[in-house]
Amino acid sequence: MSGDVKAARDWSRERLRALGWTETAPQTVDAVLLTVSELVTNAHVHAHSNAQLVLTWDTRCLHVAVHDASSDLPAPRPPSTERLGGRGILLVDALADSWEAHRCPYGKTIVACFHPPDVSGPGGHQA
């Protein structure tokens, strides 16, 4: 499983580099990569499933979509000192500009949206 999470992060980092975000929006890149890690991990741990990862850039929002084979929608749980897990969706909620989960015919998809910071200043460009 950890190899799958690392592969998903590495693949995502390359896509973000191609968008120029590693230079112009490094904090957003960190948030996206942590979200990818959490969602792919959740697919393995909670859905007992492989994860399908899709990144889509529509010039306003980077959509990070992870599909797994479970139709159980995530429910944010308050952090607890009694259990190790349960913070993944809370992290996604804190990191992403928005997120949603919806059932599909063969499982569910969770989509997190990230808006890059405005970098349209001298020498910059809007991502």
Side-chain angles (χ1 to χ4, degrees), residues 8-126:
R9 251 192 344 260
D10 291 347
W11 181 84
S12 298
R13 184 178 293 110
E14 285 307 309
R15 309 292 77 74
L16 295 167
R17 186 181 334 274
L19 285 173
W21 285 24
T22 54
E23 294 295 321
T24 62
Q27 290 179 322
T28 304
V29 167
D30 291 342
V32 168
L33 295 177
L34 183 52
T35 297
V36 165
S37 294
E38 289 299 326
L39 294 178
V40 171
T41 297
N42 284 353
H44 290 299
V45 172
H46 299 293
H48 308 288
S49 164
N50 289 326
Q52 296 172 343
L53 170 65
V54 176
L55 300 183
T56 307
W57 170 240
D58 67 8
T59 73
R60 293 184 340 267
C61 174
L62 176 73
H63 304 271
V64 176
V66 175
H67 176 82
D68 65 47
S70 171
S71 61
D72 295 336
L73 296 180
R77 300 183 293 184
S80 168
T81 57
E82 304 298 314
R83 63 180 186 272
L84 294 175
R87 293 176 183 84
I89 290 300
L90 288 174
L91 278 171
V92 172
D93 189 54
L95 294 168
D97 291 299
S98 63
W99 70 276
E100 63 185 20
H102 52 90
R103 288 184 179 94
C104 303
Y106 301 101
K108 71 174 167 300
T109 301
I110 300 173
V111 181
C113 178
F114 293 86
H115 302 285
D118 182 9
V119 292
S120 61
H125 68 279
Q126 182 129 8

